[in-house]
Amino acid sequence: MKSKLLFSFLLLIVCASMNAQTIADPVSYCLKEYRGDPGGKLLKVQIDFTKDGKKSIFIALVSSGDKSGYLWIGFKPVEGGYARIPVLEVNGLNAQGAVKFRDDALYNGYISELKTYGIISYAPDNETGALTATVIQDGALKQTTLKRIAPQGADSKRYKSLFLAHTHNPQVEEIPLPAK
Amino acid sequence: VHRDNTTDALGVVTGVAPGDATIYVDDGDSGDSFNANALRVQLQAASKKQKVVHSVGAKLTQTNYPDASGPQEIKAGQTAYITSEPVMPQLTAELAGTAPAGANVTWTLTSSYARRGNRDNKTFTSGPIPATQPWNIGTAIGQNFFGGTVTLTYEIDKIPKSKRSISFTIKGKNPLDQTAKNYITSVQGQFRFAWAIVQHESRTYDHALANDTSYNQFYASDARGGIANVPKFGTPDGWGMFQRDTSKGGPPSVTAEVWNWKANIDAGIAELGRKQADQQRYFDSVKLEYNDPTKYPAGTYEDPPTNFYPQGTGTLCTPLEAGTMTLYNGTRGCPSVTLKDAQSGITHPFQNPWQFTPTAPSGQKWYFYPNYYNYVYEVLYNEFEVNLPYVEGP
């Protein structure tokens, strides 16, 4: 209990310090930070965690991607701009500021299992794969596995309704990176 | 019957059986006088039924139809097959019936595979060729591999409104498991686990028969999660034996990878090369960080172990091999760390199964975290160490 309290306190400090840095435009910030990356492109997607019209922005380097997705850095709207969203945990492991999800199997809306708004993404492994939820909890991103599904089998309806309905599937924008 | 509705006198035609003749409406070209004879035969046989429909058919033949002793006609709605070698179906199209003398025909073959959007759309045309000459489609398509829904359209220049089409499908046959494995081992080079990766990725379980098949470029049967002989597909974008995905940042999967199992293997091996380079870049970046005397005491950094046994396996492999395999499947479930990239000089997050703890005792600084799917175990224990059976597909 004591260690949990200490962790929460430390997290609060980290969050506060990260929030202290206001970024006017996350894209400009990342273009500057990542110029010269061999992938040559950034990806940007807007995510609504709150349903109040204020969307967070996630940015990833194309070169960070693999079959399970890209590594995204989140920025939430704050007074005067945006602030980096810290990452609480990813499946219980150290995540250092990034969460991974695919851009072509991405849902943003209400997550009934967690009773909140967030992202559901799919990470494949042959004919099955994992549904992963990404939400904001205590001011930080938390990513957990919801369940393993078979999109071409018993779970095809769920897969289609989440990722192919074109109603809650945010569009990803590609932004060329300048050379170094 | 001429266009102006005048007719020639009826005469007796010999050598043509009623019902067998091909009927044309004379278009006024004096060179078509023989067509009028054919028309008279039909008119007599049909008890003066007045509606005459032109019908020059087309015949489509696959000369390398799998397991057939000779050429096989492919009729509308039927399937031509890519062979297990693989070789595209060697198709020949020819007119069935007699076209007007001196007529030319233009053949067009279009193909699409809806499951891949428009990525596999192909079009080939013969241009105008003599109607008496078959069109060798195999020559026209050259080295292209494709499949899906195919439409063969033909149009005869001397017959008005003669454009007709036949729709059929092109699907594929799998090689024997050992044939596929032999090919992979012949091209895998330094990636000695490549065949085991393919064996894992292409496994398909049949719930009814309660067994797996493997080395499936195409589904082995309807009961195995797909439709028999169409490309094996893993949502959202994995194709064929290697199930190589667009893999985010890597080259997109091209049509040949979907329909030609050898091209699929070649592309998968190339992908392993890119993943190995990514894994090495990560190792170099960790070294750059922890070998910096301005940040850490001398001796903080040490190289990854020379080799190790991934958790649960009896196979000794190098950290680079285990990392490459993990990156191929995706690093979901592995820790991430922000480092200065040794290659680009940019500081960004890496997610990797290998984590370095600078404060750990020597020999224990590196730790391998299996990814969410425990992929290295799946490939090594199940496939490389031959612990998970499969059967030869139909």
Side-chain angles (χ1 to χ4, degrees):
Chain A
M1 187 65 185
K2 193 175 174 183
S3 63
K4 197 172 180 182
L5 278 172
L6 181 63
F7 175 75
S8 299
F9 178 69
L10 287 172
L11 181 69
L12 198 66
I13 291 172
V14 170
C15 292
S17 66
M18 292 190 88
N19 284 343
Q21 188 189 355
T22 302
I23 296 160
D25 175 19
V27 173
S28 302
Y29 171 82
C30 290
L31 284 173
K32 190 178 168 191
E33 288 286 311
Y34 297 149
R35 68 172 56 193
D37 182 80
K41 263 189 277 188
L42 289 179
L43 300 175
K44 174 193 167 191
V45 64
Q46 295 192 63
I47 300 293
D48 190 348
F49 285 105
T50 50
K51 290 300 283 181
D52 61 358
K54 292 178 182 174
K55 291 187 176 179
S56 296
I57 292 176
F58 281 74
I59 293 178
L61 281 168
V62 163
S63 62
S64 73
D66 61 32
K67 208 168 184 171
S68 50
Y70 298 101
L71 273 178
W72 299 85
I73 296 168
F75 300 86
K76 64 184 174 187
V78 293
E79 185 77 30
Y82 289 84
R84 281 279 295 270
I85 315 176
V87 178
L88 188 61
E89 63 178 48
V90 174
N91 290 308
L93 286 169
N94 174 26
Q96 288 217 354
V99 288
K100 181 168 267 188
F101 54 82
R102 287 183 71 114
D103 63 328
D104 55 358
L106 181 62
Y107 161 93
N108 178 207
Y110 188 71
I111 304 171
S112 54
E113 291 95 330
L114 304 179
K115 296 183 171 41
T116 186
Y117 285 86
I119 299 169
I120 298 179
S121 55
Y122 175 74
D125 179 43
N126 199 342
E127 289 164 351
T128 63
L131 282 185
T132 299
T134 306
V135 298
I136 291 185
Q137 184 179 313
D138 301 327
L141 290 167
K142 184 178 182 183
Q143 197 170 56
T144 52
T145 299
L146 291 177
K147 65 183 290 198
R148 193 156 175 160
I149 63 166
Q152 292 152 255
D155 302 303
S156 65
K157 278 188 181 172
R158 178 95 202 270
Y159 186 89
K160 284 175 186 169
S161 70
L162 282 173
F163 304 123
L164 302 175
H166 304 297
T167 54
H168 292 81
N169 309 116
Q171 293 301 301
V172 175
E173 186 184 341
E174 288 190 2
I175 302 164
L177 271 170
K180 203 160 194 176
Chain B
V1 180
H2 297 291
R3 279 183 169 174
D4 61 3
N5 291 326
T6 61
T7 57
D8 293 328
L10 289 176
V12 177
V13 179
T14 58
V16 181
D20 282 353
T22 302
I23 306 304
Y24 302 96
V25 174
D26 191 345
D27 61 3
D29 185 335
S30 59
D32 291 346
S33 58
F34 73 96
N35 290 334
N37 290 338
L39 175 61
R40 289 171 199 128
V41 171
Q42 185 65 21
L43 287 173
Q44 286 176 321
S47 301
K48 297 190 179 178
K49 286 182 182 173
Q50 295 303 304
K51 190 174 181 183
V52 177
V53 179
H54 136 72
S55 62
V56 177
K59 184 180 177 185
L60 182 66
T61 307
Q62 180 176 354
T63 56
N64 61 341
Y65 195 87
D67 303 324
S69 55
Q72 182 87 16
E73 185 176 352
I74 309 297
K75 293 181 178 171
Q78 293 186 335
T79 300
Y81 286 97
I82 297 166
T83 70
S84 60
E85 278 85 2
V87 176
M88 275 296 282
Q90 297 301 293
L91 298 168
T92 302
E94 57 189 324
L95 291 179
T98 309
N104 284 323
V105 58
T106 299
W107 299 94
T108 305
L109 188 87
T110 59
S111 179
S112 63
Y113 187 53
R115 197 160 212 180
R116 281 175 47 83
N118 59 10
R119 286 184 287 176
D120 289 356
N121 288 6
K122 300 281 181 188
T123 300
F124 304 91
T125 183
S126 66
I129 60 173
T132 52
Q133 179 184 317
W135 181 38
N136 187 329
I137 300 172
T139 302
I141 66 177
Q143 298 303 307
N144 284 284
F145 268 82
F146 58 90
T149 302
V150 186
T151 302
L152 176 68
T153 304
Y154 57 100
E155 186 168 21
I156 302 163
D157 60 358
K158 289 197 173 183
I159 302 177
K161 297 181 181 175
S162 63
K163 196 169 185 177
R164 298 285 186 277
S165 61
I166 302 171
S167 287
F168 61 103
T169 57
I170 293 179
K171 297 179 181 175
K173 296 286 187 182
N174 287 318
L176 293 173
D177 295 343
Q178 193 58 49
T179 304
K181 189 173 176 179
N182 288 346
Y183 179 76
I184 298 162
T185 53
S186 74
V187 297
Q188 68 188 15
Q190 63 183 307
F191 302 108
R192 62 187 172 121
F193 302 124
W195 67 264
I197 291 174
V198 172
Q199 193 169 288
H200 172 76
E201 294 284 348
S202 63
R203 266 182 192 274
T204 313
Y205 183 71
D206 187 319
H207 290 274
L209 300 175
N211 61 28
D212 280 348
T213 57
S214 192
Y215 298 100
N216 292 309
Q217 178 72 15
F218 305 100
Y219 285 106
S221 73
D222 287 346
R224 294 175 194 272
I227 299 168
N229 304 113
V230 305
K232 179 174 165 61
F233 170 63
T235 315
D237 205 22
W239 298 98
M241 281 194 194
F242 238 117
Q243 287 289 290
R244 194 181 78 81
D245 205 274
T246 45
S247 203
K248 322 324 289 175
S253 56
V254 297
T255 304
E257 287 173 60
V258 177
W259 299 95
N260 175 338
W261 66 266
K262 285 184 178 173
N264 187 281
I265 296 301
D266 296 345
I269 301 287
E271 182 78 15
L272 290 178
R274 286 187 288 274
K275 295 307 182 194
Q276 181 176 268
D278 285 348
Q279 183 60 43
Q280 187 58 55
R281 185 162 61 113
Y282 172 74
F283 283 142
D284 293 344
S285 301
V286 173
K287 183 174 183 178
L288 185 70
E289 170 69 18
Y290 294 104
N291 213 20
D292 182 349
T294 65
K295 292 183 180 175
Y296 299 95
T300 297
Y301 175 76
E302 63 185 31
D303 286 330
T306 308
N307 45 41
F308 77 120
Y309 290 98
Q311 291 92 326
T313 79
T315 302
L316 201 58
C317 68
T318 67
L320 188 61
E321 287 174 325
T324 301
M325 275 187 271
T326 304
L327 265 57
Y328 183 77
N329 183 244
T331 54
R332 183 177 182 279
C334 299
S336 65
V337 58
T338 298
L339 291 169
K340 185 176 180 180
D341 190 319
Q343 186 181 324
S344 66
I346 297 165
T347 300
H348 63 83
F350 289 83
Q351 189 174 27
N352 199 274
W354 284 103
Q355 293 297 311
F356 184 80
T357 306
T359 52
S362 179
Q364 299 173 36
K365 291 175 186 278
W366 286 97
Y367 187 79
F368 181 75
Y369 289 85
N371 73 354
Y372 176 77
Y373 298 117
N374 207 1
Y375 190 71
V376 171
Y377 170 87
E378 295 276 333
V379 169
L380 294 184
Y381 181 81
N382 287 346
E383 315 294 351
F384 195 74
E385 298 172 22
V386 197
N387 286 306
L388 190 62
Y390 61 93
V391 298
E392 183 75 68

